């Protein structure tokens, strides 16, 4: 993946998230010098299995599991400091050495108790299906220029004023929702005071660190959370997350120039899933949905929510290839389809009698869209032991070939199981 021409690589989800980025990033991180998260917050959940231990990481890049790899949380992330330290303490308890190789951007905005309270009390957020971890309200405060950044902890008096102002805003919102709950300012200040020394010890100008590392010839992995169709600009708005999940967000959210990015790898499942409300044109019927959900263990890593499942949507992934400038794809969970008699790929949508092969911005069109499918015979045998493309059954290869030609991107990796070694394409 990394070579002299490809030193800064972005990994993004090219569907609605949960594509299995965690495992791929973990395997690639081993070959990187730096791994940087650039957006989202503790609503992301990567599951990484190492030996018999499985780690669920919400904020810390999974690169932390590899000794010597430096990890950073970029300015584009909204950081939940309590969760961060819980995560660090758990890693340390499991024998992972975190000391001196985890950095937090001093420009990253903080997720505070007021954000979680507003999230929990807002029925509008519930309708969108947010995880209730305060991410959306924290981004709202960032854009509304009311946010509190890591670097504000350096100035206790200014911090107090900022917390009070934020609480005022949150309280007004809570009153509007008809909630009787209010922000506890002294408790918030106490928490921040307690976390201050630990957090400031990690604070860095992450953009500058990454820039310098790159200049010195280091390889850098920029790790996206969620997926392209959840991007606040390019996703199925308003059923989206509050940040820029696509490769453009990697540049602003890590604090490096767009021209510093050498390659973008898109991770896709061999089928489609999404959590929460919003359109999913290729959604299975209930019976197949339940079967694939079980085969693929499609339950959220952070929330345990069952995911909705459907056929591979070529319209979605081709769109993701275009908006991210994907240089290659990693197809995960091919093994989940091993027992199906036949499999389908969506090549376009019929909307009011017209066929569209571009993903629409208008959800009304998507609601009326009927997917057009190409059917393929199933391979009905295990792919779990394949380590080269040639090891895959011919029908599985035909399926992957069609994905490549349909979405205009080469498949660099295929994942055929949860284990780290179950990947085709790692030379
Ligand atoms: P992420 O947020 O994109 O990393 O996705 P999640 O962590 O929510 O989901 C990944 C889940 O799928 C984890 O439990 C992985 O162990 C599992 N997984 C990843 N790749 C594969 C694969 O190729 N086959 C199977 N069966 N499971 C996989």
């Amino acid at each position: 993946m990394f070579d002299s021409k490809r030193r800064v690589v972005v990994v993004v989800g090219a569907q609605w998230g949960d594509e299995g980025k965690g495992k791929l990033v973990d395997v690639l991180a081993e070959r990187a010098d730096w791994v940087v998260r650039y957006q989202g917050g503790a609503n992301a959940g990567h599951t990484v299995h190492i030996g018999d231990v499985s780690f669920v990481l919400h904020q810390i890049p999974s690169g932390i599991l590899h000794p010597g790899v430096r990890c950073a949380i970029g300015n584009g992330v909204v950081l939940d400091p309590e969760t961060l330290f819980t995560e660090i303490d758990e890693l340390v308890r499991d024998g992972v050495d975190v000391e001196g190789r985890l950095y937090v951007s001093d420009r990253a905005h903080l997720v505070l108790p007021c954000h979680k309270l507003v999230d929990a009390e807002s029925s509008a957020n519930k309708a969108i299906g947010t995880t209730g971890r305060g991410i959306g309200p924290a981004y709202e405060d960032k854009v509304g220029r009311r946010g509190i950044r890591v670097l504000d902890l350096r100035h206790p008096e200014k911090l107090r004023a900022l917390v009070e102002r934020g609480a005022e805003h949150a309280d007004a919102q809570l009153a509007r929702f008809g909630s009787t709950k209010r922000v506890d300012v002294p408790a918030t200040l106490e928490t921040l005071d307690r976390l201050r020394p630990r957090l400031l010890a990690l604070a860095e100008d992450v953009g500058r660190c990454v820039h310098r590392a790159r200049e010195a010839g280091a390889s850098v992995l920029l790790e996206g959370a969620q997926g392209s169709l959840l991007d606040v600009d390019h996703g199925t708005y308003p059923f989206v997350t509050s940040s820029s999940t696509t490769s453009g967000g990697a540049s602003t959210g890590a604090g490096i120039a767009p021209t510093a990015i050498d390659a973008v790898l898109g991770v896709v499942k061999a089928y489609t899933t999404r959590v929460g409300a919003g359109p999913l044109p290729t959604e299975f019927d209930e019976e197949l949905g339940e079967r694939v959900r079980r085969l693929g263990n499609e339950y959220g890593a952070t929330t345990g929510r069952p995911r909705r499942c459907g056929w591979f949507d070529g319209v979605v992934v081709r769109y993701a290839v275009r908006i991210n400038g994907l240089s290659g794809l990693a197809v995960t969970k091919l093994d989940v389809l091993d027992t199906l008699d036949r499999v389908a790929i969506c090549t376009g949508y019929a909307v009011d009698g017209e066929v569209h092969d571009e993903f629409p911005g208008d959800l009304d069109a998507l609601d009326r869209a009927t997917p057009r499918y190409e059917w393929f015979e199933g391979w009905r045998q295990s792919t779990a032991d394949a380590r080269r493309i040639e090891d895959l059954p011919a029908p599985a290869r035909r399926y992957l070939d069609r994905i490549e030609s349909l979405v205009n991107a080469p498949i660099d990796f295929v994942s055929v199981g949860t284990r780290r070694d179950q990947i085709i394409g790692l030379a």
Side-chain angles (χ1 to χ4, degrees), residues 6 11 13 91 113 123 143 159 222 242-243 247 254 275 337 365 398 407 417:
R6 283 201 292 199
V11 176
L91 284 168
S123 53
V143 175
L159 181 68
L222 303 177
S242 328
S243 58
S247 56
V275 175
L337 305 181
R398 279 197 290 277
V407 308

Side-chain angles (χ1 to χ4, degrees), residues 90-105:
E90 278 173 15
L91 284 168
V92 171
R93 190 198 58 206
D94 288 334
V96 178
D97 180 18
V98 177
E99 187 73 29
R101 54 191 198 91
L102 177 66
Y103 306 83
V104 171
S105 169

Side-chain angles (χ1 to χ4, degrees), residues 156-167:
E157 273 319 302
K158 189 175 154 206
L159 181 68
R160 168 183 294 276
L162 288 172
V163 169
E164 281 167 357
R165 198 173 59 153

Side-chain angles (χ1 to χ4, degrees), residues 18-22 45-47 49 307 333 335 415-418:
D18 311 310
E19 295 92 348
K21 294 178 298 295
H46 286 318
T47 318
H49 305 269
R307 295 175 184 146
K333 296 192 139 181
D335 55 297
S415 172
V416 290
T418 54

